[in-house]
Amino acid sequence: RGKPVLHHSLELFLDRLPEYCQQMGVSAPDHVVLVMDPSYQPEYQPYIDRYPKGRLTFANPGKERQGSVENGLNKLVEVSGGKCKYSAIHDSARPLVTIEEVCNVVRDAKQHGAAVLGVPCKATIKESEDGAFVLRTIPRARLWEVHTPQVVEIETLLRGFKKVADEDLEVTDDVSIVEALGEPVKLTLGEYTNLKITTPEDMDVAEAILEDRQAKALAAAQ
């Protein structure tokens, strides 16, 4: 409550995750790229100024999601001097992702080259051609709802973006680029609480989850 949705993700990747990594004796992400419309960037410049140069940088969005991701990836390659091997692409509309989820999906990406957080689909899914009548029911046992972060080896993403551009492909999420290359993507089991905020009702649910987490943290500290 009283905190912009984006700030939850910024604080996770810039503050809480590095602190956790330091405690665990493992390396934390050196660079965070914030893909944001230029009209909003002055508002967030003070946020960037809090950190050492290159720790948090802006990239401009593209016309579509894949363009925004490509711009962010190119900026990451630039600020890291080409030394960064993996990219974790996160949707700021998912403010409830946990450190454990991030660590698990990064672990799987390092082992398999690409990984995506997700959960087995709980709803029954119907397919329709016209939006008026059911064509068929899709077997739920094979369906996963994918979340973010989606973590991919940068070299793979760069090859994927070239293929997408050369063949004029349309991709709906980041690991679809890896799928287009015919390479494997590991499903990392996440949490149903990593919801995407798209409606006012989602905001109410997110606030309730945050309050529950805070209450449990206080109880554990006592």
Side-chain angles (χ1 to χ4, degrees), residues 8 11 19 22 46 60-61 71 76 80 105 107-108 126 135 139 166 169 171 176 179 186 196 203:
H8 289 274
E11 290 174 6
E19 289 174 4
Q22 185 177 26
N60 293 334
N71 289 350
L76 177 60
S80 69
V105 73
R107 176 204 64 210
D108 286 347
K126 304 287 186 181
L135 176 65
D166 290 347
L169 302 177
V171 293
S176 295
E179 295 169 38
K186 179 71 169 67
K196 185 174 183 178
M203 188 72 77

Side-chain angles (χ1 to χ4, degrees), residues 158-169 177 180-182:
L158 292 174
R159 286 190 292 113
F161 279 125
K162 184 177 185 305
K163 181 179 179 67
V164 167
D166 290 347
E167 301 180 17
D168 195 26
L169 302 177
I177 297 170
L181 292 170

Side-chain angles (χ1 to χ4, degrees), residues 2-195:
K3 181 186 294 185
V5 171
L6 170 59
H7 289 199
H8 289 274
S9 296
L10 290 175
E11 290 174 6
L12 172 69
F13 287 100
L14 290 165
D15 299 322
R16 293 195 290 120
L17 181 60
E19 289 174 4
Y20 174 82
C21 289
Q22 185 177 26
Q23 292 171 3
M24 294 295 105
V26 296
S27 60
D30 292 323
H31 307 283
V32 175
V33 177
L34 180 57
V35 180
M36 175 177 280
D37 188 277
S39 63
Y40 294 106
Q41 291 179 11
E43 180 181 347
Y44 279 84
Q45 186 61 46
Y47 223 105
I48 284 183
D49 293 340
R50 295 182 194 176
Y51 300 94
K53 185 178 180 180
R55 181 79 174 90
L56 175 63
T57 55
F58 289 126
N60 293 334
K63 292 182 178 180
E64 304 291 342
R65 176 185 173 89
Q66 66 197 56
S68 296
V69 172
E70 186 171 15
N71 289 350
L73 182 66
N74 289 334
K75 178 60 71 172
L76 177 60
V77 172
E78 175 189 328
V79 298
S80 69
K83 296 179 181 179
C84 188
K85 188 174 182 180
Y86 293 90
S87 175
I89 303 155
H90 185 57
D91 190 338
S92 65
R94 295 186 184 274
L96 301 177
V97 67
T98 64
I99 289 176
E100 182 180 8
E101 287 178 290
V102 174
C103 292
N104 287 344
V105 73
V106 168
R107 176 204 64 210
D108 286 347
K110 286 183 175 180
Q111 183 175 353
H112 301 281
V116 56
L117 278 176
V119 291
C121 190
K122 293 191 292 185
T124 298
I125 305 298
K126 304 287 186 181
E127 182 180 355
S128 173
E129 288 184 325
D130 57 8
F133 294 92
V134 172
L135 176 65
R136 68 186 178 108
T137 301
I138 301 175
R140 184 171 55 192
R142 301 178 61 183
L143 298 179
W144 280 62
E145 174 187 321
V146 297
H147 298 166
T148 64
Q150 303 188 7
V151 185
V152 186
E153 196 169 3
I154 288 178
E155 184 272 334
T156 302
L157 271 179
L158 292 174
R159 286 190 292 113
F161 279 125
K162 184 177 185 305
K163 181 179 179 67
V164 167
D166 290 347
E167 301 180 17
D168 195 26
L169 302 177
E170 182 178 347
V171 293
T172 55
D173 71 349
D174 313 308
V175 293
S176 295
I177 297 170
V178 183
E179 295 169 38
L181 292 170
E183 299 185 15
V185 177
K186 179 71 169 67
L187 284 167
T188 302
L189 182 63
E191 300 180 18
Y192 288 97
T193 52
N194 186 15
L195 56 87

